[in-house]
Amino acid sequence: MLRNIRLSRRKALKLSVLVGLGTLTQKELRRHAIGKALDNPSRSFKVKGIQSLQERAVGKGLLFGTESSYTDLSSDAAFAGHILQECNLLVAGGLKWYFPPYPLRPSPNAFDFTTGDWIVNFAKTNKLLLRGHTLVWHQSLPP
């Protein structure tokens, strides 16, 4: 169990980033939560040269990514280009039961996977890791 474990602010931040990116198994989570690998003060995060965030993360043994939706990726080529340059992980946002303008379930008897398929193909084509997001989310429930 992970109860009654005190984390420094630095450990808590690192842990939340690693868990958010889905890079830890339950066993690793327990090991990291007690502070064996997360709090290494000799670890350097100095910026050297011109590298993308993705290259810097890989150099540290991490994944770096962001959440984005079909609307943002498909309508803004510059934005999509920045994601491809800086990230190696994409979290598919906006794929909720009811999240206008492209709900996954537009009516009780129909599903529309068009935007989800587009995001999967975008990630696959550009060799990005893909992570799903919460299907049922507080304000995106069907009316």
Side-chain angles (χ1 to χ4, degrees):
M1 281 237 186
L2 296 176
R3 285 184 280 157
N4 300 323
I5 295 174
R6 296 186 65 161
L7 298 174
S8 68
R9 287 182 187 181
R10 182 177 179 178
K11 277 191 237 176
L13 174 63
K14 289 180 187 177
L15 183 62
S16 67
V17 168
L18 292 171
V19 170
L21 292 176
T23 60
L24 296 178
T25 65
Q26 283 295 331
K27 185 176 180 181
E28 290 171 322
L29 178 60
R30 287 187 189 95
R31 184 188 64 178
H32 286 293
I34 58 175
K36 290 187 178 180
L38 283 176
D39 216 12
N40 182 355
S42 64
R43 201 165 162 185
S44 172
F45 290 92
K46 291 181 181 176
V47 175
K48 298 175 188 170
I50 301 172
Q51 291 181 305
S52 68
L53 293 171
Q54 143 183 198
E55 292 166 328
R56 292 169 201 250
V58 167
K60 303 287 183 190
L62 300 170
L63 294 173
F64 182 79
T66 188
E67 179 273 340
S68 191
S69 67
Y70 164 79
T71 305
D72 295 332
L73 290 170
S74 65
S75 65
D76 189 341
F79 176 74
H82 288 300
I83 287 180
L84 297 177
Q85 177 184 343
E86 302 295 337
C87 301
N88 55 11
L89 173 84
L90 178 63
V91 178
L95 296 180
K96 311 278 185 271
W97 284 115
Y98 191 79
F99 193 80
Y102 304 105
L104 183 64
R105 188 141 192 199
S107 71
N109 300 320
F111 286 92
D112 183 359
F113 295 103
T114 307
T115 59
D117 291 342
W118 189 94
I119 290 175
V120 168
N121 288 331
F122 177 85
K124 210 183 243 189
T125 301
N126 295 293
K127 297 183 175 127
L128 293 171
L129 295 172
L130 182 67
R131 180 167 185 213
H133 194 268
T134 308
L135 178 63
V136 179
W137 193 249
H138 59 100
Q139 293 179 354
S140 62
L141 296 174

